Amino acid sequence: MNNAVAGFSKLSKDEKINWIAKEYFSNTEGAIAIIKNYWNTNDKIQKLHDEFIENTISNFYIPLGVAPNFLINGKFSTIPMAIEESSVVAAAAKSAKFWSTRGGFKTTVINTEKIGQVHFIFKGDESKLALFFAQTKTKFFTQTESITKNMQKRGGGILDIVLHDKTFLLPHYFQLHATFETKDSMGANFINSCLEQFAKTLKEEALTYDLFSDEEKGIEVVMSILSNYVPNCIVRAEVSCPIEALSEKHIIDPKAFAERFVRAVQIAEVEPFRAVTHNKGIMNGIDAVVLATGNDFRAVEAGIHAYASRNGTYSSLSHAKIENGIFTFWLEVPLALGTVGGLTSLHPLVKLSLEMLENPSAKELMQFVAVAGLAQNFAALRSLTTTGIQDGHMKMHLNNILNQFEANEEERVLIKKHFKENVVSHSAVVDFIENLRKPI
Ligand code: MEV
């Protein structure tokens, strides 16, 4: 049985590593060596990583790849992607190249509104609460002026605050539901600071409101927090071309391909089991760019999946149609992103990724991210509806298997040559390696 530890966060980094190594690993020295192998040799960079979180013992690397040739609204970009899954960057690059000769990606930011809520309990007359809110509403704006001043200079701020009666869901449950414009910042700190001030104003003003009884004056604020569900912060990405223009190596009959592709999207629109996997493919692209640009992929994931369920059934985020001989494929997703604040100015690779994208505004970043999602979805559906996914996937995965078996250069050449012509499966590769290694 392992032991509990007191005051762990106060130990030095080496002390923490030694404790973990002794507590959990039979090969203590081996574990310490692995942990330290991933330390950055540049002390300044390592210190930066150490201080991102508590109890850092090492760095957990995932590759940063790039997908070039993205023609977006008439301009070429290279998109940085941080992801461990073998085929994702290759698929994005393939889609980018495919669409670069067919008009490219078109994107539009539909809206950029963020949301935050103060959840509170009010035991009393609801109409009195409504009157109180109407009479004190301006105070919520004036009392947050010191927080909103800078954001207003950048063209953002609090858009509106509305009182929501939620007593049909929970007894005595109400909300202040506020909407915000946060320009190039994701806005979490700004929104949460405003909300905490709203909560203070709410409680203080209620205490001195003459029409309230003593019980009504005792408003209980449960919590004040932004919402990661942002259904009015939407970006759209689209590709389209005449059906005949779809033809290429794997698309011999473009009409049949377009029809099957549309059918595949329709299945994801109506069938949740398929929709989840379909959207997972979209998130392969979205998360990779969100991560590379230092944004919060958990927030993005939560918000997007909620959006995919907004009509009561989990459904596809992308759509496709054929009209008048034109194939159109598009995606609409909520994305609350930032290009200033947070990790964006701290992490050198995040700064580099943003510079590669020519230091986009948050709105521009929303467009890159949506395009990466659509490109990924296109690549997945193209494979699924033509050659099947395993062909490309396993070819990309081959390297992982070779690394797992520590294949040497000579073996790699022979194995890659063989599997250029043959179906790659884990067992087929293992058999081939074992055969190669059999003593003659
Ligand atoms: C794998 O990471 C993603 C796919 O399963 C997506 C899809 O099925 O559409 C290939």
Side-chain angles (χ1 to χ4, degrees), residues 368-418:
F368 287 122
V369 171
V371 162
L374 189 69
Q376 210 58 46
N377 196 208
F378 179 78
L381 291 178
R382 181 172 61 169
S383 297
L384 286 167
T385 57
T386 55
T387 56
I389 205 77
Q390 282 311 87
D391 185 38
H393 243 158
M394 289 311 289
K395 286 214 164 92
M396 291 300 298
H397 189 55
L398 184 59
N399 263 334
N400 290 344
I401 308 176
L402 297 185
N403 288 339
Q404 191 187 335
F405 282 85
E406 296 181 357
N408 63 34
E409 274 318 306
E410 202 182 322
E411 288 171 332
R412 277 169 198 262
V413 171
L414 289 171
I415 293 165
K416 284 193 175 161
K417 189 161 172 248
H418 175 80

Tab-separated table of all heavy atoms in Angstrom, residues 368-418:
chain	number	residue	atom	x	y	z
A	368	PHE	N	-9.328	30.238	-38.225
A	368	PHE	CA	-8.322	29.192	-38.465
A	368	PHE	C	-8.750	27.882	-37.796
A	368	PHE	O	-8.614	26.801	-38.360
A	368	PHE	CB	-6.964	29.618	-37.890
A	368	PHE	CG	-6.267	30.689	-38.687
A	368	PHE	CD1	-5.915	31.896	-38.108
A	368	PHE	CD2	-5.941	30.481	-40.027
A	368	PHE	CE1	-5.249	32.881	-38.834
A	368	PHE	CE2	-5.281	31.459	-40.769
A	368	PHE	CZ	-4.938	32.666	-40.172
A	369	VAL	N	-9.250	28.015	-36.581
A	369	VAL	CA	-9.602	26.811	-35.810
A	369	VAL	C	-10.778	26.085	-36.489
A	369	VAL	O	-10.765	24.857	-36.645
A	369	VAL	CB	-9.941	27.197	-34.351
A	369	VAL	CG1	-10.521	26.015	-33.599
A	369	VAL	CG2	-8.697	27.722	-33.636
A	370	ALA	N	-11.763	26.853	-36.925
A	370	ALA	CA	-12.920	26.225	-37.583
A	370	ALA	C	-12.498	25.551	-38.885
A	370	ALA	O	-12.958	24.439	-39.206
A	370	ALA	CB	-13.992	27.282	-37.856
A	371	VAL	N	-11.593	26.182	-39.606
A	371	VAL	CA	-11.103	25.602	-40.859
A	371	VAL	C	-10.383	24.279	-40.576
A	371	VAL	O	-10.582	23.283	-41.281
A	371	VAL	CB	-10.167	26.603	-41.591
A	371	VAL	CG1	-9.309	25.910	-42.627
A	371	VAL	CG2	-10.988	27.718	-42.239
A	372	ALA	N	-9.559	24.267	-39.533
A	372	ALA	CA	-8.849	23.024	-39.194
A	372	ALA	C	-9.853	21.917	-38.874
A	372	ALA	O	-9.663	20.759	-39.264
A	372	ALA	CB	-7.918	23.258	-38.011
A	373	GLY	N	-10.933	22.261	-38.200
A	373	GLY	CA	-11.971	21.269	-37.884
A	373	GLY	C	-12.646	20.759	-39.137
A	373	GLY	O	-12.851	19.550	-39.309
A	374	LEU	N	-12.984	21.676	-40.038
A	374	LEU	CA	-13.678	21.272	-41.267
A	374	LEU	C	-12.748	20.426	-42.151
A	374	LEU	O	-13.174	19.416	-42.726
A	374	LEU	CB	-14.161	22.513	-42.031
A	374	LEU	CG	-15.073	22.221	-43.218
A	374	LEU	CD1	-16.431	21.699	-42.751
A	374	LEU	CD2	-15.285	23.458	-44.099
A	375	ALA	N	-11.480	20.844	-42.224
A	375	ALA	CA	-10.508	20.121	-43.053
A	375	ALA	C	-10.367	18.684	-42.547
A	375	ALA	O	-10.319	17.720	-43.324
A	375	ALA	CB	-9.157	20.826	-43.001
A	376	GLN	N	-10.308	18.547	-41.239
A	376	GLN	CA	-10.153	17.237	-40.617
A	376	GLN	C	-11.360	16.356	-40.901
A	376	GLN	O	-11.232	15.191	-41.229
A	376	GLN	CB	-10.035	17.483	-39.107
A	376	GLN	CG	-9.229	16.499	-38.389
A	376	GLN	CD	-7.827	16.418	-38.942
A	376	GLN	OE1	-7.197	17.421	-39.177
A	376	GLN	NE2	-7.366	15.213	-39.174
A	377	ASN	N	-12.531	16.950	-40.796
A	377	ASN	CA	-13.784	16.234	-41.031
A	377	ASN	C	-13.859	15.809	-42.495
A	377	ASN	O	-14.255	14.682	-42.816
A	377	ASN	CB	-14.946	17.174	-40.678
A	377	ASN	CG	-16.280	16.489	-40.507
A	377	ASN	OD1	-17.314	17.097	-40.729
A	377	ASN	ND2	-16.299	15.238	-40.097
A	378	PHE	N	-13.428	16.699	-43.393
A	378	PHE	CA	-13.449	16.359	-44.817
A	378	PHE	C	-12.530	15.166	-45.076
A	378	PHE	O	-12.908	14.206	-45.747
A	378	PHE	CB	-13.028	17.555	-45.691
A	378	PHE	CG	-13.024	17.212	-47.143
A	378	PHE	CD1	-14.221	17.148	-47.855
A	378	PHE	CD2	-11.839	16.906	-47.808
A	378	PHE	CE1	-14.237	16.780	-49.206
A	378	PHE	CE2	-11.840	16.544	-49.142
A	378	PHE	CZ	-13.038	16.490	-49.843
A	379	ALA	N	-11.315	15.224	-44.505
A	379	ALA	CA	-10.349	14.143	-44.732
A	379	ALA	C	-10.898	12.820	-44.209
A	379	ALA	O	-10.804	11.781	-44.877
A	379	ALA	CB	-9.034	14.484	-44.054
A	380	ALA	N	-11.493	12.861	-43.011
A	380	ALA	CA	-12.014	11.616	-42.420
A	380	ALA	C	-13.135	11.056	-43.282
A	380	ALA	O	-13.148	9.862	-43.615
A	380	ALA	CB	-12.503	11.876	-41.004
A	381	LEU	N	-14.073	11.918	-43.679
A	381	LEU	CA	-15.221	11.430	-44.454
A	381	LEU	C	-14.798	10.973	-45.842
A	381	LEU	O	-15.350	10.011	-46.385
A	381	LEU	CB	-16.301	12.515	-44.560
A	381	LEU	CG	-17.013	12.831	-43.241
A	381	LEU	CD1	-18.034	13.940	-43.443
A	381	LEU	CD2	-17.697	11.610	-42.661
A	382	ARG	N	-13.806	11.658	-46.401
A	382	ARG	CA	-13.330	11.231	-47.729
A	382	ARG	C	-12.754	9.823	-47.626
A	382	ARG	O	-13.053	8.964	-48.435
A	382	ARG	CB	-12.275	12.201	-48.262
A	382	ARG	CG	-11.802	11.777	-49.639
A	382	ARG	CD	-10.915	12.777	-50.303
A	382	ARG	NE	-9.694	13.034	-49.538
A	382	ARG	CZ	-8.669	13.714	-50.014
A	382	ARG	NH1	-8.722	14.207	-51.237
A	382	ARG	NH2	-7.606	13.907	-49.288
A	383	SER	N	-11.935	9.572	-46.595
A	383	SER	CA	-11.383	8.225	-46.439
A	383	SER	C	-12.488	7.222	-46.149
A	383	SER	O	-12.554	6.157	-46.758
A	383	SER	CB	-10.399	8.177	-45.271
A	383	SER	OG	-9.325	8.999	-45.526
A	384	LEU	N	-13.359	7.582	-45.187
A	384	LEU	CA	-14.393	6.627	-44.772
A	384	LEU	C	-15.293	6.222	-45.930
A	384	LEU	O	-15.723	5.070	-46.012
A	384	LEU	CB	-15.255	7.241	-43.653
A	384	LEU	CG	-14.598	7.325	-42.283
A	384	LEU	CD1	-15.405	8.215	-41.351
A	384	LEU	CD2	-14.438	5.942	-41.682
A	385	THR	N	-15.590	7.172	-46.827
A	385	THR	CA	-16.541	6.872	-47.899
A	385	THR	C	-15.842	6.377	-49.172
A	385	THR	O	-16.498	6.111	-50.164
A	385	THR	CB	-17.400	8.105	-48.239
A	385	THR	OG1	-16.519	9.179	-48.590
A	385	THR	CG2	-18.283	8.513	-47.089
A	386	THR	N	-14.504	6.274	-49.133
A	386	THR	CA	-13.788	5.748	-50.319
A	386	THR	C	-12.931	4.550	-49.916
A	386	THR	O	-13.412	3.430	-49.904
A	386	THR	CB	-12.928	6.851	-50.993
A	386	THR	OG1	-12.059	7.417	-50.019
A	386	THR	CG2	-13.791	7.933	-51.607
A	387	THR	N	-11.694	4.803	-49.492
A	387	THR	CA	-10.776	3.679	-49.226
A	387	THR	C	-11.008	3.009	-47.879
A	387	THR	O	-10.523	1.919	-47.626
A	387	THR	CB	-9.322	4.211	-49.194
A	387	THR	OG1	-9.269	5.254	-48.208
A	387	THR	CG2	-8.906	4.752	-50.538
A	388	GLY	N	-11.724	3.679	-46.979
A	388	GLY	CA	-11.807	3.214	-45.582
A	388	GLY	C	-10.698	3.904	-44.809
A	388	GLY	O	-9.676	4.309	-45.382
A	389	ILE	N	-10.886	4.036	-43.498
A	389	ILE	CA	-9.983	4.855	-42.689
A	389	ILE	C	-8.673	4.146	-42.367
A	389	ILE	O	-7.635	4.763	-42.191
A	389	ILE	CB	-10.696	5.300	-41.381
A	389	ILE	CG1	-10.094	6.580	-40.848
A	389	ILE	CG2	-10.699	4.236	-40.323
A	389	ILE	CD1	-10.515	7.798	-41.575
A	390	GLN	N	-8.711	2.813	-42.311
A	390	GLN	CA	-7.549	2.098	-41.782
A	390	GLN	C	-6.329	2.195	-42.681
A	390	GLN	O	-5.200	2.193	-42.223
A	390	GLN	CB	-7.898	0.631	-41.511
A	390	GLN	CG	-8.683	0.444	-40.244
A	390	GLN	CD	-8.057	1.159	-39.046
A	390	GLN	OE1	-8.320	2.336	-38.811
A	390	GLN	NE2	-7.217	0.477	-38.298
A	391	ASP	N	-6.572	2.280	-43.989
A	391	ASP	CA	-5.472	2.332	-44.943
A	391	ASP	C	-4.491	3.449	-44.559
A	391	ASP	O	-3.327	3.208	-44.245
A	391	ASP	CB	-6.079	2.565	-46.341
A	391	ASP	CG	-5.026	2.523	-47.417
A	391	ASP	OD1	-4.131	1.678	-47.276
A	391	ASP	OD2	-5.098	3.336	-48.354
A	392	GLY	N	-5.013	4.677	-44.525
A	392	GLY	CA	-4.163	5.823	-44.204
A	392	GLY	C	-3.705	5.814	-42.755
A	392	GLY	O	-2.535	6.046	-42.451
A	393	HIS	N	-4.645	5.474	-41.875
A	393	HIS	CA	-4.360	5.474	-40.442
A	393	HIS	C	-3.205	4.552	-40.096
A	393	HIS	O	-2.276	4.920	-39.402
A	393	HIS	CB	-5.600	4.942	-39.701
A	393	HIS	CG	-6.197	5.951	-38.797
A	393	HIS	ND1	-7.482	5.895	-38.377
A	393	HIS	CD2	-5.687	7.045	-38.228
A	393	HIS	CE1	-7.750	6.905	-37.601
A	393	HIS	NE2	-6.673	7.629	-37.507
A	394	MET	N	-3.298	3.317	-40.586
A	394	MET	CA	-2.296	2.325	-40.212
A	394	MET	C	-0.951	2.647	-40.842
A	394	MET	O	0.089	2.390	-40.247
A	394	MET	CB	-2.758	0.911	-40.592
A	394	MET	CG	-3.894	0.389	-39.747
A	394	MET	SD	-3.659	0.561	-37.951
A	394	MET	CE	-2.380	-0.629	-37.612
A	395	LYS	N	-0.975	3.245	-42.038
A	395	LYS	CA	0.307	3.624	-42.659
A	395	LYS	C	0.997	4.661	-41.776
A	395	LYS	O	2.209	4.602	-41.566
A	395	LYS	CB	0.078	4.154	-44.079
A	395	LYS	CG	-0.252	3.017	-45.042
A	395	LYS	CD	0.288	3.212	-46.447
A	395	LYS	CE	0.282	1.909	-47.216
A	395	LYS	NZ	-0.920	1.670	-48.001
A	396	MET	N	0.197	5.607	-41.227
A	396	MET	CA	0.776	6.610	-40.347
A	396	MET	C	1.201	5.983	-39.015
A	396	MET	O	2.167	6.386	-38.403
A	396	MET	CB	-0.241	7.732	-40.058
A	396	MET	CG	-0.571	8.623	-41.222
A	396	MET	SD	0.848	9.487	-41.906
A	396	MET	CE	1.368	10.463	-40.514
A	397	HIS	N	0.435	4.968	-38.598
A	397	HIS	CA	0.690	4.336	-37.300
A	397	HIS	C	1.915	3.408	-37.353
A	397	HIS	O	2.485	3.060	-36.325
A	397	HIS	CB	-0.562	3.563	-36.890
A	397	HIS	CG	-0.514	3.053	-35.488
A	397	HIS	ND1	-0.281	3.874	-34.401
A	397	HIS	CD2	-0.659	1.803	-34.982
A	397	HIS	CE1	-0.290	3.152	-33.304
A	397	HIS	NE2	-0.504	1.892	-33.634
A	398	LEU	N	2.283	3.040	-38.585
A	398	LEU	CA	3.408	2.114	-38.764
A	398	LEU	C	4.643	2.578	-37.982
A	398	LEU	O	5.294	1.778	-37.300
A	398	LEU	CB	3.716	1.996	-40.270
A	398	LEU	CG	4.802	1.011	-40.686
A	398	LEU	CD1	4.455	-0.401	-40.236
A	398	LEU	CD2	4.969	1.019	-42.201
A	399	ASN	N	4.945	3.846	-38.064
A	399	ASN	CA	6.122	4.378	-37.354
A	399	ASN	C	6.037	4.120	-35.858
A	399	ASN	O	7.046	3.818	-35.224
A	399	ASN	CB	6.210	5.894	-37.560
A	399	ASN	CG	7.157	6.204	-38.684
A	399	ASN	OD1	8.068	5.423	-38.964
A	399	ASN	ND2	6.929	7.329	-39.339
A	400	ASN	N	4.823	4.277	-35.294
A	400	ASN	CA	4.667	4.039	-33.851
A	400	ASN	C	4.996	2.588	-33.516
A	400	ASN	O	5.633	2.301	-32.502
A	400	ASN	CB	3.233	4.342	-33.402
A	400	ASN	CG	2.921	5.827	-33.448
A	400	ASN	OD1	3.833	6.638	-33.531
A	400	ASN	ND2	1.656	6.175	-33.417
A	401	ILE	N	4.545	1.672	-34.393
A	401	ILE	CA	4.808	0.246	-34.123
A	401	ILE	C	6.322	-0.018	-34.239
A	401	ILE	O	6.909	-0.716	-33.410
A	401	ILE	CB	4.023	-0.671	-35.103
A	401	ILE	CG1	2.533	-0.295	-35.108
A	401	ILE	CG2	4.211	-2.139	-34.744
A	401	ILE	CD1	1.689	-1.075	-36.122
A	402	LEU	N	6.938	0.601	-35.252
A	402	LEU	CA	8.386	0.397	-35.431
A	402	LEU	C	9.161	0.931	-34.229
A	402	LEU	O	10.115	0.296	-33.771
A	402	LEU	CB	8.869	1.095	-36.714
A	402	LEU	CG	8.263	0.571	-38.013
A	402	LEU	CD1	8.887	1.248	-39.218
A	402	LEU	CD2	8.439	-0.935	-38.128
A	403	ASN	N	8.707	2.056	-33.703
A	403	ASN	CA	9.377	2.612	-32.518
A	403	ASN	C	9.182	1.712	-31.316
A	403	ASN	O	10.093	1.495	-30.523
A	403	ASN	CB	8.857	4.017	-32.208
A	403	ASN	CG	9.351	5.013	-33.240
A	403	ASN	OD1	10.347	4.762	-33.916
A	403	ASN	ND2	8.647	6.124	-33.371
A	404	GLN	N	7.958	1.180	-31.203
A	404	GLN	CA	7.650	0.288	-30.084
A	404	GLN	C	8.603	-0.907	-30.098
A	404	GLN	O	9.061	-1.368	-29.062
A	404	GLN	CB	6.197	-0.158	-30.240
A	404	GLN	CG	5.612	-0.862	-29.062
A	404	GLN	CD	4.212	-1.395	-29.455
A	404	GLN	OE1	3.547	-0.870	-30.354
A	404	GLN	NE2	3.802	-2.443	-28.798
A	405	PHE	N	8.920	-1.418	-31.309
A	405	PHE	CA	9.795	-2.585	-31.420
A	405	PHE	C	11.262	-2.197	-31.626
A	405	PHE	O	12.094	-3.047	-31.930
A	405	PHE	CB	9.301	-3.511	-32.545
A	405	PHE	CG	8.125	-4.328	-32.108
A	405	PHE	CD1	6.845	-3.818	-32.198
A	405	PHE	CD2	8.301	-5.584	-31.536
A	405	PHE	CE1	5.750	-4.539	-31.747
A	405	PHE	CE2	7.213	-6.321	-31.087
A	405	PHE	CZ	5.934	-5.799	-31.183
A	406	GLU	N	11.545	-0.913	-31.478
A	406	GLU	CA	12.902	-0.381	-31.623
A	406	GLU	C	13.569	-0.911	-32.883
A	406	GLU	O	14.694	-1.426	-32.872
A	406	GLU	CB	13.728	-0.681	-30.378
A	406	GLU	CG	13.158	0.041	-29.168
A	406	GLU	CD	13.936	-0.171	-27.867
A	406	GLU	OE1	14.908	-0.931	-27.870
A	406	GLU	OE2	13.539	0.441	-26.863
A	407	ALA	N	12.836	-0.832	-34.013
A	407	ALA	CA	13.375	-1.328	-35.285
A	407	ALA	C	14.576	-0.488	-35.703
A	407	ALA	O	14.563	0.732	-35.552
A	407	ALA	CB	12.286	-1.248	-36.351
A	408	ASN	N	15.623	-1.173	-36.219
A	408	ASN	CA	16.790	-0.402	-36.688
A	408	ASN	C	16.550	0.095	-38.115
A	408	ASN	O	15.549	-0.264	-38.742
A	408	ASN	CB	18.078	-1.228	-36.560
A	408	ASN	CG	18.023	-2.480	-37.441
A	408	ASN	OD1	17.433	-2.453	-38.527
A	408	ASN	ND2	18.628	-3.564	-36.964
A	409	GLU	N	17.485	0.900	-38.621
A	409	GLU	CA	17.283	1.549	-39.936
A	409	GLU	C	17.055	0.528	-41.041
A	409	GLU	O	16.166	0.673	-41.879
A	409	GLU	CB	18.489	2.433	-40.288
A	409	GLU	CG	18.410	3.834	-39.725
A	409	GLU	CD	17.032	4.492	-39.836
A	409	GLU	OE1	16.492	4.538	-40.953
A	409	GLU	OE2	16.483	4.918	-38.804
A	410	GLU	N	17.858	-0.529	-41.018
A	410	GLU	CA	17.773	-1.549	-42.071
A	410	GLU	C	16.384	-2.209	-42.047
A	410	GLU	O	15.728	-2.374	-43.080
A	410	GLU	CB	18.855	-2.588	-41.789
A	410	GLU	CG	19.269	-3.406	-42.997
A	410	GLU	CD	20.322	-4.426	-42.572
A	410	GLU	OE1	21.186	-4.073	-41.718
A	410	GLU	OE2	20.226	-5.554	-43.036
A	411	GLU	N	15.945	-2.549	-40.829
A	411	GLU	CA	14.616	-3.171	-40.687
A	411	GLU	C	13.531	-2.214	-41.173
A	411	GLU	O	12.587	-2.611	-41.863
A	411	GLU	CB	14.354	-3.519	-39.216
A	411	GLU	CG	15.178	-4.684	-38.711
A	411	GLU	CD	15.056	-4.877	-37.186
A	411	GLU	OE1	14.815	-3.880	-36.467
A	411	GLU	OE2	15.226	-6.016	-36.740
A	412	ARG	N	13.678	-0.927	-40.827
A	412	ARG	CA	12.658	0.065	-41.212
A	412	ARG	C	12.495	0.126	-42.725
A	412	ARG	O	11.382	0.173	-43.243
A	412	ARG	CB	13.036	1.457	-40.693
A	412	ARG	CG	12.625	1.654	-39.254
A	412	ARG	CD	13.229	2.902	-38.660
A	412	ARG	NE	13.150	2.775	-37.215
A	412	ARG	CZ	12.195	3.321	-36.451
A	412	ARG	NH1	11.287	4.089	-36.971
A	412	ARG	NH2	12.165	3.110	-35.155
A	413	VAL	N	13.627	0.119	-43.441
A	413	VAL	CA	13.568	0.208	-44.905
A	413	VAL	C	12.811	-1.000	-45.451
A	413	VAL	O	11.884	-0.869	-46.270
A	413	VAL	CB	15.003	0.297	-45.510
A	413	VAL	CG1	14.957	0.176	-47.031
A	413	VAL	CG2	15.666	1.598	-45.070
A	414	LEU	N	13.152	-2.190	-44.958
A	414	LEU	CA	12.509	-3.417	-45.456
A	414	LEU	C	11.016	-3.436	-45.128
A	414	LEU	O	10.167	-3.771	-45.957
A	414	LEU	CB	13.179	-4.644	-44.819
A	414	LEU	CG	14.599	-4.941	-45.316
A	414	LEU	CD1	15.247	-6.022	-44.470
A	414	LEU	CD2	14.545	-5.394	-46.783
A	415	ILE	N	10.694	-3.034	-43.891
A	415	ILE	CA	9.293	-3.072	-43.443
A	415	ILE	C	8.458	-2.071	-44.240
A	415	ILE	O	7.373	-2.395	-44.734
A	415	ILE	CB	9.205	-2.782	-41.918
A	415	ILE	CG1	9.857	-3.927	-41.145
A	415	ILE	CG2	7.761	-2.604	-41.466
A	415	ILE	CD1	10.157	-3.617	-39.688
A	416	LYS	N	8.983	-0.852	-44.409
A	416	LYS	CA	8.214	0.181	-45.124
A	416	LYS	C	7.994	-0.233	-46.568
A	416	LYS	O	6.918	-0.003	-47.134
A	416	LYS	CB	8.921	1.530	-45.025
A	416	LYS	CG	8.718	2.135	-43.641
A	416	LYS	CD	9.114	3.568	-43.570
A	416	LYS	CE	8.752	4.109	-42.191
A	416	LYS	NZ	9.449	5.320	-41.842
A	417	LYS	N	9.017	-0.850	-47.160
A	417	LYS	CA	8.900	-1.301	-48.561
A	417	LYS	C	7.778	-2.354	-48.653
A	417	LYS	O	6.891	-2.268	-49.495
A	417	LYS	CB	10.241	-1.900	-49.000
A	417	LYS	CG	10.305	-2.200	-50.464
A	417	LYS	CD	11.740	-2.355	-50.946
A	417	LYS	CE	11.740	-2.849	-52.361
A	417	LYS	NZ	12.263	-4.209	-52.504
A	418	HIS	N	7.791	-3.300	-47.721
A	418	HIS	CA	6.799	-4.368	-47.740
A	418	HIS	C	5.379	-3.809	-47.570
A	418	HIS	O	4.465	-4.164	-48.312
A	418	HIS	CB	7.107	-5.368	-46.618
A	418	HIS	CG	6.072	-6.443	-46.487
A	418	HIS	ND1	6.042	-7.545	-47.317
A	418	HIS	CD2	5.001	-6.560	-45.644
A	418	HIS	CE1	5.006	-8.312	-46.982
A	418	HIS	NE2	4.349	-7.735	-45.968
